[in-house]
Amino acid sequence: MKYAIILGDGMADEPLEELQGKTPMEYASTPVMDELASMSELGLLHTIPDGMKPGSDTANLSVLGYDPAIYYSGRSPLEALSIGVPMKDTDIALRANIVTLSDDDVPYEEKTILDHSSGEISTEDAAVLVEAVKKELQNEMFQYYVGTSYRHLLIWDKGEVVDLVQPHDILGQVIGDKLPQNPMLREMMKRSHEILNHHPLNEARRAAGLNPANSLWFWGAGTTPKLSSFQEKTQKKGAMISAVDLLKGIAVGAQMTNISVEGANGTLETNYEGKAEAAVKALLEDGFDFVYLHLEAPDEMGHQGSIERKIKSIENLDQRILKIVKTKMDASGEDYRLLVLPDHPTPICVRTHTSTPVPYILYDSTAPRRENWKYNEREARQTGVYMAEGHKMIDHLFER
Ligand SMILES: [Zn+2]
């Protein structure tokens, strides 16, 4: 038996007036998902333990079978694993987004945060800017590391797990009372703006009508993660296919294999087909029992508040990933079990993550069911099937 999880990050949502009361999943044209749903177990999964912050970190740990209440030690330590940054036990890792602050002529504290991703800046451009900050601000206590696109890393020697504000939660707001309480972190953010605001690369971005990447924003502080081996835990040889450092880091921590796909970049224009083909190859040719395929795009579109682009990302998941995986697995004659789900909702109306349970499909090629439901939040709720502890779903997937 082969196993696959295909996860649309942030895909779930709430009913929208603009969609006549439907959600993007309900409104999107998804013939493959709906066909699968009619042959599968359909239900709701509670991925975010009560009291924990909804995010891709806690949610994907859950879906992969790691109880966040035990294994979660912050977001950016997982990203540090992906970048290959060795963390000492006394180190604190912090996510360093490169963000866009308003250009109005006011003190730093009175600036408005406009964009948590600097227009999904390319890794090349961001690296130039992060290096410029590193040159000025790096010292014994604080080390800067370039990550992917707008997601970078700061390692704080003998630091503290301070509570910091997530930039995608405060878009359009004045930053003053959202800045770190810790004076060193606060001062470094302010200094990063002085270094970046009129950097030639940002002047060129402004001239090209792009959002300048003119300040670092620290959040997601955490300590060294201690994940146990996935293969020892499940007796399954697992592979990860994702463009984002968080998921790659979870895979490193779980000693799974990261499969990188050319052109997979976490945006709406990612290489869908390449990811689907890589998943099938991993299962049918490369000896993996299990593959975890993560698609970032729906989450980013949720943060951007774009209904149209979120629907497009869901339709792309259906037509340019699921269709390929199902067709090729069916043609291979291999028995397989397939779990399709989001990790958490990123509703357009709030442009950030929520803890609402997510709809899932569990398909078994050896025992297709006959149902007449489609794949969306409303119909999943109507089945009455509900799993309260998200980290137990992987055992359910592997039970046959
Ligand atoms: Zn997510």
Side-chain angles (χ1 to χ4, degrees):
M1 180 73 85
K2 295 290 183 178
Y3 305 88
I5 293 181
I6 297 190
L7 187 135
D9 201 307
M11 183 164 66
D13 209 304
E14 304 291 335
L16 292 164
E17 231 176 271
E18 297 88 336
L19 302 177
Q20 296 80 51
K22 290 184 173 174
T23 68
M25 282 180 73
E26 224 172 335
Y27 187 92
S29 158
T30 56
V32 179
M33 287 183 203
D34 294 336
E35 189 213 349
L36 268 173
S38 71
M39 302 188 290
S40 299
E41 175 186 318
L42 175 68
L44 289 178
L45 184 68
H46 189 198
T47 56
I48 313 284
D50 294 339
M52 296 189 87
K53 255 193 204 147
S56 301
D57 41 11
T58 44
N60 282 283
L61 280 174
S62 230
V63 174
L64 207 52
Y66 293 89
D67 182 354
I70 298 169
Y71 290 100
Y72 182 65
S73 69
R75 180 194 185 108
S76 49
L78 294 165
E79 293 171 338
L81 279 178
S82 163
I83 304 175
V85 171
M87 281 181 70
K88 304 189 295 295
D89 281 353
T90 53
D91 281 343
I92 300 296
L94 297 99
R95 162 72 84 81
N97 275 39
I98 195 161
V99 302
T100 304
L101 300 183
S102 55
D103 270 344
D104 44 2
D105 186 18
V106 294
Y108 185 74
E109 293 74 8
E110 292 168 32
K111 295 258 179 204
T112 299
I113 181 166
L114 305 175
D115 182 350
H116 68 284
S117 74
S118 300
E120 292 186 300
I121 186 172
S122 70
T123 301
E124 296 66 42
D125 277 5
V128 172
L129 299 171
V130 173
E131 290 297 340
V133 172
K134 185 175 172 176
K135 206 158 129 253
E136 302 275 332
L137 302 185
Q138 174 134 309
N139 56 37
E140 293 278 297
M141 190 184 283
F142 293 106
Q143 308 268 319
Y144 289 82
Y145 294 88
V146 174
T148 309
S149 178
Y150 62 87
R151 310 172 182 91
H152 306 283
L153 182 73
L154 177 69
I155 296 289
W156 180 7
D157 181 38
K158 300 188 187 63
E160 294 160 54
V161 178
V162 288
D163 199 23
L164 299 165
V165 175
Q166 308 188 73
H168 47 259
D169 285 351
I170 55 165
L171 296 174
Q173 299 180 32
V174 172
I175 62 174
D177 60 353
K178 311 287 187 301
L179 294 170
Q181 298 301 313
N182 178 284
M184 293 186 292
L185 296 178
R186 197 185 176 92
E187 183 54 26
M188 285 196 295
M189 283 170 63
K190 200 169 174 179
R191 287 279 292 120
S192 77
H193 182 255
E194 288 159 15
I195 295 162
L196 295 175
N197 199 28
H198 296 298
H199 188 286
L201 198 151
N202 275 328
E203 300 299 19
R205 289 179 66 83
R206 285 189 183 90
L210 298 170
N211 280 349
N214 59 2
S215 182
L216 292 185
W217 190 282
F218 305 132
W219 62 287
T223 55
T224 313
K226 300 235 175 342
L227 299 184
S228 52
S229 153
F230 183 83
Q231 187 155 5
E232 274 167 33
K233 216 155 83 69
T234 65
Q235 285 69 52
K236 304 281 184 297
K237 189 168 177 253
M240 171 69 73
I241 297 172
S242 174
V244 297
D245 284 329
L246 171 67
L247 274 294
K248 290 177 185 170
I250 290 175
V252 170
Q255 295 156 47
M256 293 168 68
T257 301
N258 272 307
I259 297 174
S260 56
V261 174
E262 187 71 33
N265 58 15
T267 74
L268 187 59
E269 289 74 37
T270 192
N271 181 0
Y272 298 89
E273 290 79 5
K275 295 178 92 167
E277 299 289 355
V280 172
K281 182 173 179 294
L283 294 174
L284 300 183
E285 294 171 31
D286 302 337
F288 290 96
D289 307 304
F290 167 67
V291 67
Y292 193 99
L293 192 161
H294 167 270
L295 179 74
E296 173 70 4
D299 179 59
E300 279 303 327
M301 300 313 117
H303 287 305
Q304 290 176 11
S306 170
I307 296 175
E308 190 199 337
R309 289 161 62 82
K310 186 163 185 178
I311 289 169
K312 188 69 195 153
S313 70
I314 296 168
E315 292 178 344
N316 288 345
L317 175 62
D318 189 83
Q319 289 300 298
R320 299 173 63 186
I321 292 183
L322 265 170
K323 190 174 182 180
I324 294 172
V325 171
K326 185 167 185 321
T327 308
K328 295 210 167 183
M329 290 306 291
D330 287 346
S332 77
E334 280 275 355
D335 296 339
Y336 68 100
R337 283 166 65 84
L338 170 62
L339 178 66
V340 179
L341 76 174
D343 51 349
H344 54 72
T346 304
I348 296 275
C349 57
V350 290
R351 296 181 61 177
T352 190
H353 311 140
T354 68
S355 300
T356 306
V358 295
Y360 74 86
I361 299 172
L362 179 48
Y363 172 70
D364 187 322
S365 69
T366 67
R369 296 165 61 144
R370 289 199 178 294
E371 311 286 357
N372 59 18
W373 43 48
K374 288 199 170 83
Y375 180 46
N376 57 60
E377 301 89 341
R378 185 172 50 78
E379 296 190 59
R381 201 173 307 116
Q382 284 167 353
T383 66
V385 175
Y386 175 68
M387 189 177 283
E389 293 179 289
H391 65 275
K392 295 198 171 151
M393 173 53 86
I394 199 103
D395 303 330
H396 183 37
L397 174 67
F398 291 158
E399 73 191 15
R400 288 171 44 103

